[in-house]
Each structure stands twice: as structure tokens, then as C-alpha cells.
Amino acid sequence: DVSPNRQSRAIALLELLGQALNTHRLGLMIDNGEAGLLLPPTGDANLFAFYLKQLAHLAHPLAVPHPDRAFDWIAQMPDMRGGVVVWLTSGDANSFQGALGSRELAAAQALNKANVRLIAVTVAGAGGPLLKDGLPLKNAQDQVITSQPAPQRVAELAKLTGGVATQTHTLPKDVAFIRQAVHAVPNRAPDKNSAKAQRSLHELPLMLAWLSLLALAALSLGLKPLNGFVARLLRPNKTKPPIA
């Protein structure tokens, strides 16, 4: 379908995209049946690169995407107002059928109402069996998982938001397409309160890391000195106050 497989190609595209758009605030969200926010929009390129590395360890994405929950979530994020969603998808035709297709249309309309544009890339070739490590993927019934992309339906969702869509070509062409589409979006000054909240959110893991390091340092010095220090802190101060 695409080499080496859809997931690896999508990660490679995101890595190049992070380098091309390093002056923008970037975040990461994954949809493996349930939408999950890995990284809220941040201007820290190192954070984006760190969380991007975690994607390779996650389960292979479903053949049939369920982006409606992710779109609904993004539409409610204040930081995303006036921004764009770069949607990398298998674009499987089955995802546009029945109730799921109706939910996707409603979610795309929610993005449009929130002034969020959708830039979509169908990371798929002509379809067929999905591969991982050169071998066909199989479901729980030991049947080979096949996928039939419908990039035209992906393009319809993007158009609903005022965005654009394409089917993957070479990685440089995909990056150029996305970068051009992002630069076509009117600039919007970031909300100060949102930016402050994001800084607080990203400072929390750093604080926890420092607390962990302090705890390890205390253990390496031994528990008795530490207990003695705590005991001294808890012991009442018997020293009489000076006479005025």
C-alpha cells in the first residue's frame, strides 16, 4: 500500500512537518478508536519531538478511522480557534458509511463553527492488505485486514471546514502541500490566558521530574539522616524567646 506501512509513513511525515513548521505552536492527537490528546498546542519544538517518538510504540491504528470524537474534542479547545488540524488518515471507505459517516459530517461542521480548518492527507495507496514489518495484518479471526481508501470523501470533510485535502505522494510533496495550506490561514494572535494555562500545563511534568530526582537523591543518602532531619523539623522548639 505505502512503504514501509501507513503508521510509519505518517510518523515520518509528522517529523518532517515539525521541522518545517517549527515557528508554529504544534500539538499531537491520536485516534485509535478513542481520541487521545498526547500534547496540547505548544511552541516548544523539543516537546513535540519527544511526544512524536512515543507514537511508534502505540498500537497500529484501526483500518476504519473514527475521527468524529477527535474533531468534536478539538472544536471545544480554545487554543484551536482560528487554527488548523492536519488529519493523517487511511480514508477507508467503510468509515463514511451509515451512522459513522453522519457523525463525521457533524464533527466537521463543528470544526467549521469553531473556525478550525481541516488539512487532510489520505496516507494510503490504492488499497489492499495492510502490512506491518512486511507481513499482512490480521484481525482476531485470523483474517487479513484490507482497506479501500476513499480520498474523495476525505476531501469533502476538509472542504466543509474551508480546508484542503490530498492523497499522499512523496514525503517532501506532502510537507510542501501542508505547509502551503497552513500559511494560507490568516494569522491569529494567541490568547494570553490560554498561553499562560499551556505554560502551567507543560511545567507540571518538569515539576514532577524534579520531585522524583529529589526523592532519589534522598534515598541515595540513606533513610536515617533523612528521618533525623524530619524529626528535627517536627520537634517543638524549646528555646525560650529573648526578653525584650
Side-chain angles (χ1 to χ4, degrees):
D1 189 27
V2 294
S3 180
N5 57 62
R6 293 177 179 180
Q7 184 180 24
S8 298
R9 189 174 182 84
I11 293 174
L13 176 54
L14 286 174
E15 184 176 5
L16 293 174
L17 197 60
Q19 298 170 8
L21 300 177
N22 58 7
T23 59
H24 295 261
R25 290 192 301 157
L26 301 174
L28 282 172
M29 177 175 280
I30 189 168
D31 174 32
N32 249 357
E34 291 293 336
L37 181 63
L38 293 183
L39 177 67
T42 175
D44 190 333
N46 291 327
L47 271 177
F48 181 81
F50 171 79
Y51 281 97
L52 184 58
K53 290 179 181 178
Q54 314 312 312
L55 294 182
H57 306 296
L58 299 176
H60 196 283
L62 301 175
V64 179
H66 305 166
D68 54 296
R69 296 186 185 95
F71 292 170
D72 284 334
W73 191 349
I74 292 169
Q76 298 177 45
M77 294 173 61
D79 266 8
M80 287 301 300
R81 299 298 172 101
V84 301
V85 176
V86 178
W87 180 32
L88 307 184
T89 176
S90 65
D92 191 271
N94 291 323
S95 68
F96 301 101
Q97 305 299 320
L100 180 55
S102 298
R103 291 198 302 267
E104 289 183 8
L105 287 173
Q109 291 169 346
L111 287 179
N112 183 55
K113 186 176 180 180
N115 192 25
V116 178
R117 296 191 188 187
L118 188 60
I119 301 173
V121 179
T122 302
V123 185
L130 297 184
L131 304 177
K132 187 171 185 179
D133 299 328
L135 298 174
L137 280 174
K138 296 183 178 181
N139 58 22
Q141 289 74 38
D142 201 35
Q143 298 171 329
V144 174
I145 301 174
T146 60
S147 176
Q148 183 61 47
Q152 70 279 6
R153 300 302 301 274
V154 174
E156 289 174 9
L157 292 180
K159 189 176 180 180
L160 278 176
T161 68
V164 291
T166 188
Q167 189 166 5
T168 192
H169 298 94
T170 65
L171 289 176
K173 285 185 178 180
D174 291 345
V175 171
F177 173 84
I178 296 171
R179 182 171 53 191
Q180 182 178 0
V182 169
H183 289 166
V185 176
N187 290 328
R188 180 182 68 94
D191 180 78
K192 293 182 180 179
N193 293 331
S194 296
K196 184 177 180 181
Q198 288 301 326
R199 284 197 300 271
S200 300
L201 180 62
H202 297 315
E203 286 168 1
L204 179 60
L206 181 60
M207 184 187 300
L208 293 175
W210 274 109
L211 289 175
S212 299
L213 288 174
L214 289 174
L216 289 173
L219 288 174
S220 66
L221 293 174
L223 294 178
K224 290 184 179 180
L226 178 62
N227 290 336
F229 176 70
V230 173
R232 286 196 297 274
L233 287 178
L234 298 177
R235 187 182 302 126
N237 186 359
K238 297 181 179 181
T239 305
K240 296 181 179 180
I243 300 175

